[in-house]
Amino acid sequence: MGLRPSGKFHYVHAGKTRILHGFWGERGGGADCRAAGPGADGSAILITGACRYRVRLNPVAHRGASPSRTPSSMVQSYLLFFFAGLGAFNGLALSAYLLWRQPVTPAQRWLAALVLMLSLRTGKSVVFYFWPEVSKLVLQVGLTACVLIGPCLIGFVRAWVDPQRLHTRKDPILGVGLLGLAVGFGLAWPYPDHLDLWTGPVWYLIQYAWLACLLLAGGLLVRATRRKAGRVPTDGLTSGHVAAVIAGVAAVWLAYFTAGLTSYIVGALSFSVVLYLSIIVMLARRKASPAPAPYQDRKIAADEADAALQALHQLMAEEHLYRDTTLTLPKLARRLGMPAARLSQLLNDNHQTAFKSYLAQVRVEAAKRLLSAPGGGAMEQVAEAAGFVSMSTFYSSFRKVEGTTPAAWRQTAHQASQAGS
């Protein structure tokens, strides 16, 4: 339990709320402190949930006067506030940047949500540490954000493992549902009216659920890196980056979980340290390694290319993206969760075709399926259903791929079908 002079906290005595001056502290997790006393010896019992601490009050404060603060202690407080609060503020800015930076991948969205929840949690700690009389609703917001840190971390790792969203499409819905449950719980049992509930069972549930999410996220990362197919690093995030995020979140959790042995503000300071170390390392690596020319020394490995092409074909077949007449290379790359340059390289080097040619081939194959079907409809309907913007483009693309007109191909297909039957 960290103690700090010149503080004060509320306690209930003789049915009235009073303020006890002198030393004060909080258990890790930001629980509200209550007191029994002060006694004749100038000590008091601090009650934080199930824990009790005997604290000797400052003699001057016990007599009703506020202890003086030296200039050095004031400078230390200002520096502590600056470094602890700066991390929370810049975390908010970083989460906004991650959502603004294009292209926005699913993993990037989850990472932005994770940083936002950490910023709210540590920001609440800073506010409560320096202004203990702050509204209990601020503490409730911080603990509610803490509930979502673990799920956001798991969502980030799952989105990184599955950039094509083959198995993670419902993850955002689950995240919003969990947010609704947390907010609903807070409305039903608000912090100011249920201090024992929030500082006891809820606090422990949050801490151990956060730990469980950390272990699960680490397990997902280990399993993904051991799989033979691997994961195509199309969005610039490698397993090292994901491991660093998990380690940083674990450091913040450990700081809060052991705050009773150190100080409550250590959690916010740990977030600032982790955030700025990550930024410094990232900038140093960028400065040390100049950007190579496009495609130079960046050939896609055969197994990675096969996995990416399979995901591309599956996406086009299942979602019929070729029907979108405004489909472009950047738009398709965003759906795949990879940079546009990477997709262009994949098609040129590993599929021996340009994007426009590939899209024309996919649309021609779709048109052939419609033409061979009984009652396939008029040519205009076939062209529109296959994603062609005009009949002239339909005819020219079909002739380029098949060497004949759509009408002639349909007639040949029907004759072959009748001969086979």
Side-chain angles (χ1 to χ4, degrees), residues 216-384:
L216 180 57
L220 291 174
L221 176 60
V222 171
R223 187 179 67 174
T225 53
R226 287 181 177 178
R227 284 164 53 184
K228 293 183 179 180
R231 188 265 187 195
V232 185
T234 53
D235 52 8
L237 291 173
T238 65
S239 58
H241 295 122
V242 179
V245 171
I246 296 175
V249 175
V252 177
W253 172 84
L254 183 62
Y256 276 112
F257 192 75
T258 60
L261 304 175
T262 56
S263 177
Y264 182 58
I265 199 65
V266 172
L269 288 174
S270 65
F271 177 62
S272 298
V273 171
V274 169
L275 181 64
Y276 287 110
L277 281 179
S278 302
I279 294 176
I280 291 173
V281 171
M282 180 184 67
L283 294 177
R285 291 183 62 181
R286 282 188 175 184
K287 186 176 181 180
S289 55
Y295 305 162
Q296 180 180 355
D297 298 329
R298 289 193 299 170
K299 295 294 183 181
I300 303 176
D303 56 342
E304 295 181 355
D306 292 341
L309 287 173
Q310 181 181 358
L312 172 62
H313 299 330
Q314 185 174 356
L315 183 65
M316 296 291 282
E318 292 181 353
E319 300 195 16
H320 310 292
L321 297 182
Y322 55 85
R323 294 177 180 173
D324 183 4
T325 57
T326 63
L327 185 63
T328 61
L329 179 67
K331 185 183 294 186
L332 180 58
R334 284 195 296 271
R335 293 301 306 272
L336 283 169
M338 66 172 64
R342 186 75 167 181
L343 177 58
S344 178
Q345 177 187 4
L346 178 70
L347 292 173
N348 282 279
D349 290 356
N350 301 93
H351 203 261
Q352 287 74 47
T353 183
F355 169 72
K356 290 185 177 180
S357 299
Y358 168 75
L359 186 57
Q361 293 173 4
V362 174
R363 286 172 172 166
V364 167
E365 290 298 323
K368 287 166 59 177
R369 290 192 294 271
L370 296 173
L371 291 171
S372 60
M379 288 297 173
E380 291 81 4
Q381 296 175 333
V382 172
E384 182 179 359

Side-chain angles (χ1 to χ4, degrees), residues 97-120:
Y97 169 75
L98 289 173
L99 291 176
W100 170 78
R101 180 177 177 269
Q102 298 295 328
V104 181
T105 63
Q108 193 171 316
R109 292 191 184 97
W110 279 110
L111 183 58
L114 174 61
V115 175
L116 176 61
M117 294 303 108
L118 285 169
S119 300
L120 292 176

